[in-house]
Structures are given as C-alpha cells and as structure tokens.
Amino acid sequence: MTIIAVTAAQPGAGKTGVAAAIARALAYSGRPTRLVRLEEPGSRAAEDARWYSGLEFAPGSPAEPLSSVPGTAADEVLVVECGTAAVPAGAVVVAVARGAGAGAPPAHAAAVVQLAVPGVRGVQVKSGAPLHIQVGEDRTLAGFALDEALRWLHAEVLLPGDLPEDTTSDHLVIAPIGSDAGQPYFRRFPSMTVVARFDRTDMHLAALRASPNALILTGGRQPSGYTIDAASASGVPLVLSRTDTENTVIALERVFEGTRFRGERKLERMSELLAGTGLFEALLQPAPATA
C-alpha cells in the first residue's frame, strides 16, 4: 500500500484541489486510487469527503471524514487529505501553502505546492529537494459558486435554475449602461455571474443569451415577466438582491475570498497547472526494493 498525505498548516490553503489532482493522475495511470479525508477541526472536511466520494476515478472513497487511515488492498494508493498533526506514519508528504509566505517546508515533505502566489505567472518550479512548485493567482481556481455568493447577500432566489450545483463563475460582471453593447459585452466573459438592476429587462435578456451561470437582480423589486420566462427557459438561476447595485457589488467583492474547491472545471485546471511540473511523475515512482 502507498499513502500520499496532502497536508497544510492552515485550512483553506488548497490541499483539497491538490489531493484531487494527484488522485486523478494516479488513477489515470492505472493505479487503483481512493481519496480519504481525515477529520480536521475548523475545516470543511465533511464537504470535501462528500465531493471525493462522487469522483468516478476514485471509486470507494469514503463520503465522510475518518479519524484514521482505513485498511486497503496491497496494490492500492490512498491519497489522504489531512492537517499537519494527523500525517499518517510512512506517508509520502505533499505540503500545500497559500500565497507567498509558505515558510520552511516540513522536513519529511517530498513536494511543496504554493498556490495563488502574487507575482508568479502561470507555474514556476524551483530546483532542489523537496520539489517546490509555485502557482500564480488563477481566475478559474478562485471561481465562486452561487451558494457562496448568496452567503454575502440579503437575497431571494426567484428561480433555482437547472445548472449543476458545483458550477463556478470566474467573473462577476456588472451589466453595462447601453443596451446596444449588451450582448457583445457579455460574450467577452466565458464563465460569469451577471449583476443588473431589476428593471433593466433589455440587459437581462442580453445576458441570458450569453449563457451566464446566474443572474443577480438588484433593487429588491420583481423583474418583468419576460425576464422570468427567459431565465426559466434557459435554466439560469435568478436571484433578487434587496439592495441597490452598488451595495450588492460591494458585498460580493468578498466572494472570491476562501472559495471552496469543487467541480470539474477547477479539477481540470488544477491538473493542467500541475502537469509537467514533475509532481505526478515523482509520486508515480515505484517504491525502492528492500533487501
């Protein structure tokens, strides 16, 4: 059995995404792989475990956080997400840090991954041991889901929409003033949530034609029936904020802070960023034979 422990000194560093990307690379290489989330006070361990359990490439991953590493088959790899105090004995350790202040890596770390490092474009790999990977600030990894936006708003969900629960938006887009520029403007943003005043039906319809992930109306008053019908037909969630556009956007400015790692888009992006750094290849090396 091989255990890879993905750990971080603080919750929210990004270890869930790194662990999932590692597990996917191992599974795609032909190794039976499971993801295990160990209990960790003050974390989102329950949400992480629930997401892991639904990943097709890691069948049998527990849907709840565990207090210890489970038994497993001889040829199986366990990718274990845990805090620094719970690293399983004998595990290969990948330490994750956020931003520029990573500090000294653990002495037993095989690799260190720093995410959202200011000033870094794309990915940089530093030579030496342990393998040290720095990933710049990335819009897709910072993307937010609708339920995360709703936590910051005094809002009513008019239509829940048909989009998957883990859909994330890379952009928070405020509707323009001029109606003629509406649709070309919105189409500049491939993954967005749009904010528009409740009475700007022209902007609502233009935004909906550009397939947003959600439409947030401001001003606290019901929109036109045309807007409701169009949103219903397109399956786009429709939300009504009780405050004006300025205060709604001010509240939503915090939505990019501490977003959860979820969804295929984020996993695909994390895997893309870590591919070619040598991380997956290092973890796929067979253990040395013992005499």
Side-chain angles (χ1 to χ4, degrees), residues 2-8 15-16 18-20 22 26 34-38 52 69 77-96 106 108-113 279 283:
T2 300
I3 300 175
I4 299 171
V6 181
T7 185
K15 59 185 183 292
T16 300
V18 173
I22 289 172
L26 291 168
R34 280 192 294 162
L35 277 155
V36 176
R37 184 61 161 99
L38 294 187
Y52 286 160
V69 176
V77 180
L78 290 184
V79 180
V80 179
E81 180 186 350
C82 57
T84 53
V87 174
V92 177
V93 177
V94 177
V96 182
H108 56 310
V112 175
V113 181
L279 175 63
L283 297 176

Side-chain angles (χ1 to χ4, degrees), residues 103-131:
H108 56 310
V112 175
V113 181
Q114 282 180 264
L115 301 174
V117 180
V120 173
R121 288 183 172 272
V123 180
Q124 294 182 2
V125 181
K126 296 184 177 181
S127 59
L131 179 66

Side-chain angles (χ1 to χ4, degrees), residues 132-214:
H132 196 143
I133 302 163
Q134 291 185 324
V135 178
E137 295 173 318
D138 187 84
R139 188 176 290 277
T140 298
L141 295 183
F144 63 92
L146 180 58
D147 63 339
E148 292 175 317
L150 290 174
R151 285 207 298 266
W152 297 104
L153 296 177
H154 180 50
E156 173 188 0
V157 178
L158 301 179
L159 292 172
D162 300 329
L163 299 180
E165 186 179 312
D166 60 8
T167 299
T168 56
S169 296
D170 299 349
H171 303 271
L172 182 63
V173 179
I174 305 171
I177 296 174
S179 60
D180 291 345
Q183 197 167 348
Y185 172 75
F186 291 126
R187 291 197 180 279
R188 293 168 49 197
F189 306 99
S191 176
M192 63 178 175
T193 288
V194 175
V195 179
R197 204 171 67 187
F198 74 94
D199 57 353
R200 291 302 309 276
T201 305
D202 55 340
M203 285 293 102
H204 307 163
L205 299 180
L208 290 168
R209 285 194 292 269
S211 301
N213 295 324

Side-chain angles (χ1 to χ4, degrees), residues 28 113 138 254 266:
Y28 285 4
V113 181
D138 187 84
R254 295 173 289 179
K266 287 194 176 187

